[in-house]
Amino acid sequence: MSPRTLHLNAFLMGVGHHEAAWRHPRTDPALITDVRHYRRLAEIAERGRLDSVFFADGLALQGDVRHNALGTPEPLTLLAALAAVTEHIGLIATVSTTYNEPFHVARKFASLDHISGGRAGWNIVTSAGEAEAHNFGIERPAHAARYQRATEFLDVVTKLWDSWEDDAVLRDRNGGRYADSGKIHAIRHAGDHFGVTGPLNISRSPQGHPLLVQAGSSQDGIEFAARHAEAVFTAQQTLEDGQEFYADLKGRLARYGRRPEQVVVLPGISPIIGSTEREALRLEKELEDLIIPAYGLAQLSQMTGIHLGEDDLDGPLPDVGVETEGAQSRRRLVVELARREGLTVRQLLGRLAGGRGHRVVAGTPEQIADQIQLWFENGAADGFNIMPPILPDGLADFVDHVVPELQVRGLFRTEYTGRTLRENYGLDRPASRFAATSGERHDLVVAS
Amino acid sequence: MSPRTLHLNAFLMGVGHHEAAWRHPRTDPALITDVRHYRRLAEIAERGRLDSVFFADGLALQGDVRHNALGTPEPLTLLAALAAVTEHIGLIATVSTTYNEPFHVARKFASLDHISGGRAGWNIVTSAGEAEAHNFGIERPAHAARYQRATEFLDVVTKLWDSWEDDAVLRDRNGGRYADSGKIHAIRHAGDHFGVTGPLNISRSPQGHPLLVQAGSSQDGIEFAARHAEAVFTAQQTLEDGQEFYADLKGRLARYGRRPEQVVVLPGISPIIGSTEREALRLEKELEDLIIPAYGLAQLSQMTGIHLGEDDLDGPLPDVGVETEGAQSRRRLVVELARREGLTVRQLLGRLAGGRGHRVVAGTPEQIADQIQLWFENGAADGFNIMPPILPDGLADFVDHVVPELQVRGLFRTEYTGRTLRENYGLDRPASRFAATSGERHDLVVAS
């Protein structure tokens, strides 16, 4: 096996990423709130030695529920359930910094990291949706304001994760000393958005910091990722775009004192797999035939701010700008895709239905593996964010047919080598920032 | 079996409720962050056919961590993990209304209810601690203000739980209709504390509303319980106090249009169990000998606002008032206990060490069962909140020796009869408040 190996994350969404997945005879939409479904998915991912599973999230009913199986469980709750029935797979939950408090978020991820034995990851989002703001009594904050808050939020969370040094817990039963309070630190954070005294009310977790993941592709988002993220999910349609994003992100790391190997870049790919190319294309066609245009139009509107009606379906995409605050990066991707390939609106909806702007590849396991290898070996990816069109079958097909092909090519592990998510991603465990100061040993946190 | 039967909840806390449990040779304090420990506890509770397990919670490191095994996982995270590995046991998590947003809380409990197949319960607290406020950038709100917020919070949460009618999801694959959006309702809440448009982004959960539990014993707390709670945890030292509380609470229900059987009253009891009385008293003495006075003093201070030092240990409790805002009810209980029994401060700490003001009973399984039966048959309890002094052994002893005694007496179930937590507690499933209005069938929630 080559020294550099792929990382694979299973991006799980209801009964599949294709927006018509719930209508396909190979899925059962009654499973979207059933923990046994997600357990099965996690077990399949673990059987394939994947690094992690991941759930996206939003804080409102987004999209048109008349025409899609929406309403999946809250990710942290679901991943905690999966932690109890899996052993190796990493567990990455999306949580917003805009509508949460850092104390809660630090504590929940530390709890999940303890419960899972070091397998927790946090996909940090700032929640661009207007409907989300209206579930929290405010108007949607501006893009820059959301990222300013996110930056301070992350500062507080990581301080809280560091607030117990690794060796703070003594468990000296005879001496009656449970912990060394000189190694448990108030953080006394007082910033623009948050005031948090600390310490956290749980000991330092197995990974020190649960893995930090980010997916924003706006300029603020990429800069945030360069500064903080350890794994990056990204939507890239072409190898050239993938290479450009990869080089851009890795090139920004030095200014934060970070090395290229400290961030794992994972473009999304929705693999439509058949034992022959014809079979794969048939599945793709079956899904396409189940698309409901009204749903696609609502998705397009929510994702890009481009509002169109059924009358527009058979014309070209109207001339819309790409410089919209907020959903900017996805809007540009969609507009460029339509222009590059001269798509009608209906055709564009078909292209987006599979992965909401992520790349869709239909083919045999070998063809899918070729694409993965091409990007991996040509500076566009450290691994992939796998988005099966239908679940569980699409994930099982990937694990049972594409993964073995990648293993044969020496590109992917055949057994788990690490114990934690961090170790599987090849990332270091951070030290507590407070560890150096503990020589002072003043009792910071004894309750009065 | 008599028509009226006991309800039993296992109140789980680290390696036991006795504050010196972590020092006792029959426990292992390394287990307080280990999900296998909690899984074992849940399995024991389920083996005993108990109604539910429950975790208390605080949003700060409270108490003196130098001398006790503090820092357990966040309850919702932990209970989600337990949902995946249990089948029958109810799962009750404490979540504060003071430092949370109703949208998150509604969603997490609905998610847990789906994942567990209808076994979620919410212990509603308003967070009296000053250290908690300082982890959220504010000064501690006044007692009345916290309860006002809690009332509006609960209003929003239950509206969100009702926002999808039970039959909103169609799953009509051929017709392309996933849900009837006329049965999914924006809640458009605009109140003093919250503005929440809704609907919730998950369908109505198996119980309709996860079980509502409350434990406040202040006047505001009891009134809140009378209005909203379906199960009430309470600390009562004597049968007379238990009867008074029980009659008081049940008597308040009519003004909210509720019947006595719609609320289950569960006093706390910490059973110290031995196969002989002498063995039980020996275990009690072993635990007492492991008490660290400095820890007890810090607990007393945190729980009641009474600040004493080690010099005060062998004198009587100084003459302190009982009318302190916030921790009022527990302070009165402690002061009255010390006066009634003429305890020194050291003796008082010993009495509080077992259950922080809850009743401690040492004896044989028959003696424990006698006490439970006495309160149950004399208007002081509908069941009990079982607080084992050491874990897992104290719970296993209760399940293996006290539960069979209660079953023989016809006081407790021998098999689960209900499918959900509500059914096991004998409580109705609430209908959605929006169900009656759905004749109008206007599409309230379709994304624009």
Side-chain angles (χ1 to χ4, degrees):
Chain A
M1 193 179 277
S2 79
R4 182 170 170 259
T5 59
L6 275 168
H7 298 286
L8 296 174
N9 173 70
F11 180 177
L12 305 178
M13 181 173 276
V15 292
H17 279 273
H18 197 286
E19 67 186 35
W22 72 279
R23 300 187 67 193
H24 195 275
R26 285 172 71 191
T27 70
D28 176 2
L31 298 179
I32 71 162
T33 52
D34 189 332
V35 72
R36 291 167 298 188
H37 171 63
Y38 298 102
R39 177 181 184 157
R40 189 169 161 205
L41 297 177
E43 287 169 348
I44 294 169
E46 205 161 57
R47 181 173 91 215
R49 310 292 185 257
L50 269 52
D51 293 77
S52 44
V53 295
F54 156 64
F55 293 102
D57 198 42
L59 298 169
L61 186 64
Q62 292 170 321
D64 185 347
V65 71
R66 292 177 306 182
H67 301 309
N68 201 356
L70 305 177
T72 48
E74 189 277 325
L76 268 174
T77 309
L78 188 49
L79 288 169
L82 299 183
V85 293
T86 53
E87 263 187 79
H88 298 285
I89 196 80
L91 307 162
I92 302 175
T94 298
V95 172
S96 169
T97 54
T98 300
Y99 304 110
N100 275 294
E101 289 285 338
F103 190 87
H104 289 311
V105 172
R107 185 172 180 230
K108 282 172 193 287
F109 277 104
S111 297
L112 181 63
D113 207 42
H114 274 294
I115 284 173
S116 63
R119 296 185 283 134
W122 172 23
N123 178 41
I124 306 159
V125 299
T126 67
S127 303
E130 202 172 321
E132 297 179 285
H134 293 172
N135 285 333
F136 297 90
I138 59 171
E139 292 304 311
R140 175 173 51 176
H143 192 258
R146 293 201 313 274
Y147 273 96
Q148 282 158 18
R149 180 180 165 108
T151 298
E152 188 181 334
F153 196 109
L154 201 66
D155 182 36
V156 178
V157 167
T158 54
K159 281 177 184 166
L160 287 168
W161 284 338
D162 286 345
S163 63
W164 294 52
E165 296 182 38
D166 286 317
D167 56 352
V169 178
L170 306 170
R171 294 190 203 96
D172 170 10
R173 308 222 272 190
N174 288 335
R177 297 184 312 152
Y178 178 72
D180 177 350
S181 58
K183 295 190 174 183
I184 302 175
H185 304 271
I187 68 165
R188 304 191 201 292
H189 178 90
D192 292 339
H193 299 87
F194 307 108
V196 182
T197 301
L200 199 58
N201 54 353
I202 188 165
S203 60
R204 203 152 192 270
S205 73
Q207 293 187 104
H209 297 179
L211 189 75
L212 298 177
V213 182
Q214 218 266 345
S217 292
S218 66
Q219 285 302 311
D220 284 340
I222 299 173
E223 202 62 33
F224 186 89
R227 185 167 166 186
H228 300 292
E230 301 172 290
V232 172
F233 298 147
T234 180
Q236 304 294 337
Q237 286 283 337
T238 67
L239 177 62
E240 293 67 36
D241 286 349
Q243 290 167 325
E244 192 184 318
F245 177 85
Y246 187 96
D248 179 10
L249 179 65
K250 298 262 178 172
R252 296 184 195 216
L253 297 172
R255 78 181 71 158
Y256 301 108
R258 306 181 70 199
R259 302 184 312 278
E261 63 272 24
Q262 289 181 297
V263 180
V264 174
V265 176
L266 306 168
I269 183 170
S270 180
I272 303 186
I273 303 166
S275 55
T276 61
E277 194 177 333
R278 173 183 298 227
E279 196 183 301
L281 293 173
R282 186 168 46 210
L283 174 57
E284 186 171 41
K285 178 69 166 52
E286 285 168 6
L287 286 164
E288 233 174 74
D289 289 345
L290 295 170
I291 290 175
I292 298 163
Y295 182 80
L297 291 170
Q299 278 290 103
L300 185 70
S301 159
Q302 187 215 316
M303 202 163 68
T304 66
I306 301 169
H307 309 290
L308 298 174
E310 305 224 5
D311 292 346
D312 302 310
L313 283 169
D314 295 307
L317 188 70
D319 191 17
V320 294
V322 295
E323 298 300 335
T324 304
E325 191 263 354
Q328 191 179 28
S329 51
R330 192 57 61 92
R331 181 173 176 134
R332 174 179 291 120
L333 181 148
V334 166
V335 170
E336 286 177 358
L337 171 66
R339 285 186 191 153
R340 188 171 60 241
E341 308 195 13
L343 303 173
T344 66
V345 170
R346 190 186 300 275
Q347 288 169 323
L348 177 64
L349 296 185
R351 298 294 298 274
L352 297 177
R356 302 174 308 285
H358 285 275
R359 188 159 158 253
V360 178
V361 179
T364 64
E366 294 72 24
Q367 289 172 322
I368 308 283
D370 287 347
Q371 286 297 314
I372 287 175
Q373 183 166 7
L374 180 71
W375 285 47
F376 179 63
E377 293 182 343
N378 288 280
D382 296 312
F384 284 85
N385 193 21
I386 308 300
M387 303 165 59
I390 54 173
L391 288 168
D393 278 13
L395 183 62
D397 287 346
F398 185 84
V399 158
D400 295 334
H401 302 293
V402 181
V403 165
E405 182 64 30
L406 295 169
Q407 289 169 329
V408 165
R409 298 183 191 186
L411 296 170
F412 193 61
R413 69 172 72 85
T414 53
E415 290 302 333
Y416 286 105
T417 50
R419 196 182 48 86
T420 66
L421 175 55
R422 248 170 212 293
E423 286 170 8
N424 283 323
Y425 270 117
L427 298 166
D428 293 336
R429 182 181 190 276
S432 165
R433 75 192 70 189
F434 296 108
T437 69
S438 67
E440 306 170 23
R441 309 186 66 75
H442 42 275
D443 287 352
L444 282 167
V445 296
V446 175
S448 63
Chain B
M1 192 180 275
S2 79
R4 182 169 171 260
T5 59
L6 276 168
H7 297 286
L8 296 173
N9 172 69
F11 180 178
L12 305 178
M13 181 174 276
V15 291
H17 279 273
H18 196 287
E19 67 186 37
W22 72 279
R23 300 186 67 192
H24 195 277
R26 285 172 71 191
T27 70
D28 176 3
L31 298 179
I32 71 162
T33 52
D34 189 332
V35 73
R36 291 168 298 188
H37 170 63
Y38 297 102
R39 177 181 184 157
R40 189 169 161 203
L41 296 177
E43 287 169 348
I44 293 168
E46 206 161 58
R47 181 173 90 215
R49 311 292 184 257
L50 269 52
D51 292 77
S52 45
V53 296
F54 156 64
F55 293 102
D57 199 43
L59 298 169
L61 185 64
Q62 293 169 319
D64 184 346
V65 71
R66 291 176 306 182
H67 301 309
N68 201 355
L70 305 177
T72 48
E74 189 277 324
L76 268 174
T77 309
L78 187 49
L79 288 168
L82 299 183
V85 293
T86 54
E87 263 187 80
H88 299 285
I89 195 82
L91 307 162
I92 302 175
T94 299
V95 172
S96 170
T97 55
T98 301
Y99 304 110
N100 275 295
E101 290 284 338
F103 190 87
H104 288 312
V105 172
R107 186 171 180 228
K108 282 174 194 287
F109 277 104
S111 297
L112 181 62
D113 207 42
H114 274 293
I115 285 174
S116 63
R119 295 186 283 134
W122 172 23
N123 178 43
I124 306 159
V125 299
T126 68
S127 303
E130 200 172 323
E132 297 178 286
H134 293 171
N135 285 333
F136 296 90
I138 60 171
E139 291 306 310
R140 175 173 51 174
H143 191 258
R146 293 202 312 274
Y147 273 96
Q148 282 158 17
R149 180 182 164 107
T151 298
E152 188 182 335
F153 196 109
L154 201 65
D155 182 36
V156 178
V157 166
T158 53
K159 281 177 185 165
L160 287 168
W161 284 338
D162 286 346
S163 63
W164 294 52
E165 295 183 39
D166 286 318
D167 56 353
V169 177
L170 307 169
R171 295 191 203 97
D172 169 10
R173 307 221 273 190
N174 289 335
R177 297 185 310 153
Y178 178 73
D180 177 350
S181 59
K183 295 190 173 183
I184 302 175
H185 304 271
I187 69 165
R188 305 191 199 290
H189 178 90
D192 291 340
H193 299 87
F194 308 109
V196 181
T197 301
L200 199 58
N201 55 353
I202 187 164
S203 60
R204 202 150 192 271
S205 74
Q207 294 188 103
H209 297 180
L211 189 75
L212 297 177
V213 182
Q214 217 264 348
S217 293
S218 67
Q219 285 304 310
D220 284 339
I222 299 173
E223 203 60 32
F224 186 88
R227 186 166 167 188
H228 301 293
E230 301 172 290
V232 172
F233 298 147
T234 180
Q236 304 295 336
Q237 285 283 336
T238 68
L239 176 63
E240 293 67 34
D241 286 349
Q243 289 166 326
E244 191 184 319
F245 177 84
Y246 188 94
D248 180 11
L249 179 66
K250 299 262 179 172
R252 296 184 194 216
L253 296 172
R255 77 180 72 155
Y256 301 108
R258 306 180 72 199
R259 302 184 312 279
E261 62 272 25
Q262 288 181 295
V263 180
V264 174
V265 176
L266 306 168
I269 183 170
S270 181
I272 303 187
I273 303 166
S275 55
T276 62
E277 193 176 336
R278 174 183 296 227
E279 197 183 298
L281 293 173
R282 185 168 47 208
L283 174 57
E284 185 171 40
K285 178 70 165 54
E286 285 169 5
L287 286 164
E288 231 174 76
D289 289 345
L290 294 171
I291 290 175
I292 298 163
Y295 181 81
L297 292 169
Q299 278 289 104
L300 185 70
S301 158
Q302 187 215 316
M303 202 162 68
T304 67
I306 302 169
H307 308 290
L308 299 174
E310 305 224 5
D311 292 346
D312 302 310
L313 282 170
D314 295 306
L317 188 68
D319 190 17
V320 293
V322 295
E323 297 301 334
T324 304
E325 189 266 349
Q328 192 179 26
S329 51
R330 192 57 60 93
R331 181 175 176 133
R332 174 179 291 122
L333 183 150
V334 166
V335 170
E336 286 176 359
L337 171 66
R339 286 187 190 151
R340 187 170 62 240
E341 307 195 14
L343 304 173
T344 65
V345 170
R346 189 186 301 275
Q347 287 168 326
L348 177 65
L349 296 185
R351 296 295 297 274
L352 297 177
R356 302 174 308 286
H358 285 275
R359 186 158 160 253
V360 178
V361 178
T364 63
E366 294 72 23
Q367 288 173 322
I368 308 282
D370 288 346
Q371 286 298 312
I372 287 175
Q373 184 166 7
L374 180 71
W375 284 47
F376 179 62
E377 294 182 343
N378 288 279
D382 296 312
F384 284 86
N385 192 21
I386 308 298
M387 303 165 57
I390 54 173
L391 288 169
D393 278 13
L395 183 62
D397 287 346
F398 184 84
V399 158
D400 295 334
H401 302 294
V402 182
V403 165
E405 182 64 30
L406 296 169
Q407 288 168 331
V408 164
R409 299 183 191 186
L411 296 170
F412 193 60
R413 69 172 71 86
T414 53
E415 289 302 333
Y416 286 105
T417 50
R419 199 182 46 86
T420 66
L421 175 55
R422 249 170 211 292
E423 287 169 8
N424 283 322
Y425 269 116
L427 298 165
D428 293 336
R429 182 181 191 275
S432 166
R433 76 192 69 188
F434 296 107
T437 69
S438 67
E440 307 172 23
R441 307 186 67 77
H442 42 276
D443 287 353
L444 282 167
V445 296
V446 175
S448 63

